[in-house]
Amino acid sequence: HLNRLNGEGYVLSNAICMHEEDYGLLTKHTDWRQFVRSNGHRGVDHKRSRRLVVSFIATVGNYEYGFFWYFYLDGTIQMEVKLTGIINTSGILKTQTELRYATLIAEGLEAQIHQHHFVARLDMCVDGINNTVSEVNSRPEDDDKNPSGTAFLAEEAVFNRELEAQRRVDLYTARFWKINNENVLNRTGKPVAYKINPGENCYSYMKVGSSLYNRAPFLRNHLWVTKYDPREKYPAGDYPNQNKGGDGIDFWTGKNRTIRNQDLVVWYTFGTHHVVRLEDWPIMPCAYLSFKIQPCGFFDQNPILDIPPPDDSHNQRSSCHSKSTL
């Protein structure tokens, strides 16, 4: 359901696409110690990956945003945004060649440096409604326990309240976040969990106190966690246009509600910083932005073990992998 410029609603048919597609290699291993198998391979095992795709494309002004949810055989869920369309431009003097806030893409034409930010509202239910979020950071081991200088470890900390769970990505610590169910344990005695694996991301350059900073509070952090409330749907609040701020996720988390072993909503903010290239004009090729939600101790072992290998009998002669060279 969408609305027209006058506020009237209408139904847009065939707006969501759902299909399955091949996704190349799922697993592969060559064991040189095994004898040649009946199919001619010397200890080679491989499986093909497939994924379910649920997608739609939204045209917003000059841009097209494709939103693609991918569901993989190993339990991984991926959200990918595909950005294309026409970059925003403005006219300048033909004599201007050095630009401070834009890229010169043609004589008398500039394209502004800009950012795109998105928020995924993840109403998580990992093997049950009540979940707990934790953060995992890796670091080198302390010197007194690391004589060779090659040891490193991962440390996990649980968030108990909303204000604790306002976090940013950190490449130095390979940071990721886990959504755990402390009421259900896997075979090692640990809570079953899924993890948010950040992909490409960026920081917002909006200054504190600016209009956009106040109206889009979700830009201040990449991760937010709130206790579930059906009225809390939009991270900038219900009425963001010309809003002075003070609504949305910043206001909700100010309550500092307990979030351990609760019905939770996880909000992940991800974005891209676009310094325009000449190659982005006159129409921009797709840029890709994504993150993954992956099982992390949710299964007791690799869930794709029972997937049969592909039938290569039809292309034994044509395939470059059909015969071993060992």
Side-chain angles (χ1 to χ4, degrees), residues 63 83-87 274 277 279-287:
Y63 253 97
L83 303 90
T84 182
I86 308 297
I87 55 176
H274 191 183
R277 308 171 298 152
E279 293 83 356
D280 292 327
W281 177 256
I283 187 168
M284 193 181 85
C286 266

Side-chain angles (χ1 to χ4, degrees), residues 98-136:
E98 298 298 326
L99 306 176
R100 188 173 180 84
Y101 309 112
T103 297
L104 181 68
I105 58 172
E107 186 180 66
L109 195 64
E110 68 173 7
Q112 295 81 18
I113 300 171
H114 61 283
Q115 296 183 318
H116 302 264
H117 296 278
F118 307 90
V119 185
R121 180 184 183 272
L122 306 172
D123 187 358
M124 301 301 296
C125 186
V126 178
D127 215 359
I129 293 178
N130 290 345
N131 291 163
T132 298
V133 178
S134 60
E135 179 177 283
V136 180

Side-chain angles (χ1 to χ4, degrees), residues 11 13 26 151 156 187 237 309:
V11 176
S13 301
L26 178 61
E156 184 171 356
R187 70 174 180 176

Side-chain angles (χ1 to χ4, degrees), residues 20 51 63-64 67 76-78 104 117 126 130 141 169 197 200 204 212 220 230 242 258 265 276 301 311:
E20 187 177 305
R51 63 185 184 183
Y63 253 97
E64 259 75 19
F67 296 93
T76 295
I77 302 170
Q78 180 183 11
L104 181 68
H117 296 278
V126 178
N130 290 345
E141 180 57 281
V169 297
N197 193 9
E200 178 187 344
S204 169
L212 187 56
R220 303 170 197 174
Q242 301 182 16
T258 180
V265 177
V276 178
Q301 60 180 2
D311 181 8

